[in-house]
């Protein structure tokens, strides 16, 4: 199985050795090159309402890249990164969503994303600015942030896989925050103490300039960037150099107790996603969405609308027999006696992973 190093920008290999050594199953059901969530037949309309547009896929999210990742991208001279560098340089010149902490969505983009969740994967207005529509690939993938590194539409371990990757995202999010702050403190502590970015990006409502997607007023932007106004690219590259000079021990110290707790939480979630032990009692999840197909199969989904499990229709009555009042082994014995049927261990585990059968 691959390890977590493959999930993140390569330079994390030396900074986060413990957690990154964990092995994880290859998420084969979530294939960016051959997206399983893309609409196959637009004429079906609402029958495929949960699917994505082929010219957006799941890339209807604007990443928030911490300063050192921006610097890493800007110094990456590989030809395959040229388009990503160009797009990032354009963002810096436009000054919208450009801060010493990170480069992220404009206030308008963030507002639209937060209030249009039902359009995820469907609205071109939400499409990531680094998405290449001609190839369907990401132009900055080698320098992606926590959300893009950990999000899948489907998980080999079902609900437990989702829980693990959400925990991993939260852990890497803490890493990104601490490392970006450390880089800023090293360059000039006033970037931390004079918190102009927080005041600007946490204000209530949208101004007229923000609705028109204009950059911040010059005076605010000048206060925000201090001596690096007009030299933002140089600032980001310095951040990258500062972070790459750290050791894993340095990062552990910077992460502090919050980082330790997040790390332990991720390791526990990893163990749960790897276990093959079934709960002693299982119950058919009353929250399951049931959809009968023309083929006679039944499509069941519970933990995610994006990840349904199609089973022979004859299996459905067997699932309902799991009422949680007796052990899993006793329920299976009852099925053998009354229906001359049984569900193999691997089938039960899959049903549990999907939370179609849930723990009592």
């Amino acid at each position: 199985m691959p390890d977590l190093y493959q999930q993140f920008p390569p330079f994390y290999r030396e900074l986060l050795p413990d957690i990154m050594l964990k092995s994880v199953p290859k998420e084969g059901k979530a294939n960016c090159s051959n997206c399983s969530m893309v609409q196959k037949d637009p004429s079906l309309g609402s029958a495929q309402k949960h699917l994505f547009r082929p010219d957006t896929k799941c890339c209807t999210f604007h990443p928030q890249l911490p300063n050192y990742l921006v610097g890493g991208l800007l110094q990456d001279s590989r030809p395959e990164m040229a388009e990503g560098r160009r797009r990032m340089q354009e963002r810096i010149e436009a000054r919208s969503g450009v801060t010493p902490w990170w480069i992220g969505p404009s206030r308008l983009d963030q507002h639209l994303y937060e209030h249009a969740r039902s359009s995820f994967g469907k609205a071109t207005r939400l499409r990531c600015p680094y998405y290449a529509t001609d190839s369907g690939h990401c132009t900055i993938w080698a320098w992606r942030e926590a959300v893009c590194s950990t999000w899948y539409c489907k998980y080999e371990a079902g609900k437990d896989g989702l829980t693990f990757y959400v925990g991993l995202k939260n852990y890497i999010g803490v890493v990104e925050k601490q490392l970006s702050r450390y880089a800023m403190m090293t360059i000039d502590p006033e970037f931390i103490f004079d918190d102009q970015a927080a005041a600007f990006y946490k204000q209530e409502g949208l101004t007229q300039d923000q609705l028109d997607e204009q950059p911040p007023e010059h005076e605010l932007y000048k206060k925000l960037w201090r001596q690096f106004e007009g030299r933002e690219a140089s600032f980001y590259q310095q951040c990258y150099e500062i972070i790459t000079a750290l050791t894993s021990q340095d990062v552990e110290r910077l992460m502090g107790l919050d980082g330790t707790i997040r790390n332990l939480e991720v390791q526990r979630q990893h163990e749960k996603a790897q276990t093959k032990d079934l709960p002693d009692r299982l119950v058919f999840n009353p929250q399951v969405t049931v959809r009968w197909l023309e083929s006679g199969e039944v499509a069941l989904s519970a933990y995610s609308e994006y990840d349904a499990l199609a089973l022979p229709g004859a299996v459905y009555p067997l699932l309902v027999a799991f009422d949680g009042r007796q052990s899993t082994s006793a329920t299976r014995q009852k099925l053998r006696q009354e229906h001359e049927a049984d569900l193999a261990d691997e089938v039960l585990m899959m049903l549990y992973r999907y939370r179609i059968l849930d723990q009592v």
Side-chain angles (χ1 to χ4, degrees):
M1 292 193 294
D3 58 39
L4 285 175
Y5 284 128
Q6 300 177 31
Q7 302 282 130
F8 299 97
F11 85 99
Y12 278 130
R13 179 179 292 270
E14 301 301 324
L15 298 181
L16 306 170
D18 292 340
I19 188 67
M20 294 303 189
L21 289 173
K22 298 291 184 183
S23 295
V24 290
K26 181 177 176 57
E27 299 293 346
K29 295 187 296 182
N31 187 338
C32 293
S33 299
N34 184 23
C35 180
S36 60
M37 289 298 299
V38 164
Q39 295 177 4
K40 303 299 189 292
D41 185 357
S43 66
L44 294 179
S46 60
Q48 297 190 90
K49 62 182 179 180
H50 65 290
L51 298 180
F52 302 155
R53 288 176 58 114
D55 56 349
T56 65
K57 298 190 288 188
C58 65
C59 297
T60 51
F61 168 79
H62 195 310
Q64 183 170 290
L65 263 68
N67 49 33
Y68 60 92
L69 286 183
V70 176
L73 170 63
L74 293 175
Q75 61 79 44
D76 193 335
S77 60
R78 291 176 296 173
E80 60 266 32
M81 300 308 301
E83 178 61 17
R85 290 196 306 273
R86 183 190 69 78
R87 295 190 186 202
M88 187 60 71
Q89 287 163 350
E90 283 187 352
R91 290 298 310 282
I92 293 173
E93 291 171 5
R95 295 189 169 187
S96 181
V98 177
T99 80
W101 281 258
W102 35 257
I103 291 183
S106 67
R107 289 274 294 148
L108 177 60
D109 285 333
Q110 186 64 28
H111 177 84
L112 291 175
Y113 178 77
E114 291 174 353
H115 292 82
R117 296 300 176 89
S118 63
S119 297
F120 181 80
K122 306 176 184 67
T124 56
R125 176 62 182 80
L126 299 178
R127 187 165 53 201
C128 175
Y130 310 114
Y131 180 82
T133 55
D134 55 344
S135 65
H137 294 154
C138 175
T139 59
I140 64 167
W141 186 244
W143 300 97
R144 58 197 179 278
E145 45 90 91
V147 174
C148 297
S149 295
T150 56
W151 194 89
Y152 292 97
C153 57
K154 306 174 191 294
Y155 299 86
E156 293 293 335
K159 171 66 173 178
D160 295 321
L162 169 61
T163 301
F164 165 68
Y165 276 109
V166 169
L168 183 61
K169 177 199 70 175
N170 293 336
Y171 170 70
I172 299 299
V174 174
V175 172
E176 291 177 343
K177 178 180 179 180
Q178 293 298 83
L179 293 187
S180 63
R181 293 172 69 201
Y182 176 75
M184 294 166 63
M185 283 283 291
T186 303
I187 293 173
D188 185 347
E190 289 303 316
F191 278 119
I192 298 293
F193 300 135
D194 188 10
D195 197 353
Q196 296 286 334
F200 179 70
Y201 283 94
K202 292 179 182 178
Q203 65 185 10
E204 293 292 330
L206 295 171
T207 67
Q208 177 181 330
D209 286 343
Q210 289 166 346
L211 284 170
D212 290 337
E213 296 199 87
Q214 298 297 311
E217 295 180 0
H218 179 257
E219 285 305 311
L220 172 61
Y221 193 80
K222 185 175 182 180
K223 289 180 179 178
L224 185 68
W225 277 98
R226 304 176 62 78
Q227 70 270 32
F228 283 93
E229 183 198 7
R231 299 192 299 120
E232 298 88 347
S234 174
F235 172 86
Y236 290 130
Q237 288 175 305
Q238 286 187 44
C239 290
Y240 174 72
E241 292 167 1
I242 290 167
I243 298 307
T244 53
L246 296 175
T247 65
S248 59
Q249 290 78 20
D250 294 329
V251 174
E252 183 177 4
R253 175 177 54 81
L254 290 171
M255 294 289 289
L257 181 60
D258 284 345
T260 300
I261 292 172
R262 292 283 190 184
N263 193 321
L264 291 173
E265 182 180 27
V266 171
Q267 294 192 46
R268 293 180 64 181
Q269 292 163 343
H270 178 268
E271 291 174 4
K272 187 172 182 180
Q274 301 296 310
T275 186
K276 299 186 183 301
D277 296 331
L278 279 168
D280 181 60
R281 291 176 183 266
L282 290 170
V283 60
F284 183 65
N285 188 346
Q287 303 301 318
V288 167
T289 299
V290 180
R291 184 162 60 93
W292 289 93
L293 307 178
E294 293 182 2
S295 63
E297 293 182 309
V298 60
L300 306 170
S301 60
Y303 85 95
S304 170
E305 65 176 317
Y306 302 137
D307 201 3
L309 189 63
L311 298 170
V315 171
Y316 185 74
L318 307 182
L319 302 180
V320 178
F322 288 86
D323 57 14
R325 289 182 292 184
Q326 53 188 352
S327 67
T328 300
S329 59
T331 303
R332 296 177 70 179
Q333 180 62 28
K334 180 180 177 180
L335 291 176
R336 286 191 288 266
Q337 292 173 346
E338 298 181 1
H339 297 273
E340 296 184 351
D342 193 8
L343 296 172
D345 290 347
E346 58 269 22
V347 174
L348 286 171
M349 177 56 73
M350 178 174 61
L351 292 167
Y352 172 63
R353 292 291 196 204
Y354 276 70
R355 293 306 191 267
I356 293 166
L357 295 179
D358 206 352
Q359 186 173 9
V360 176

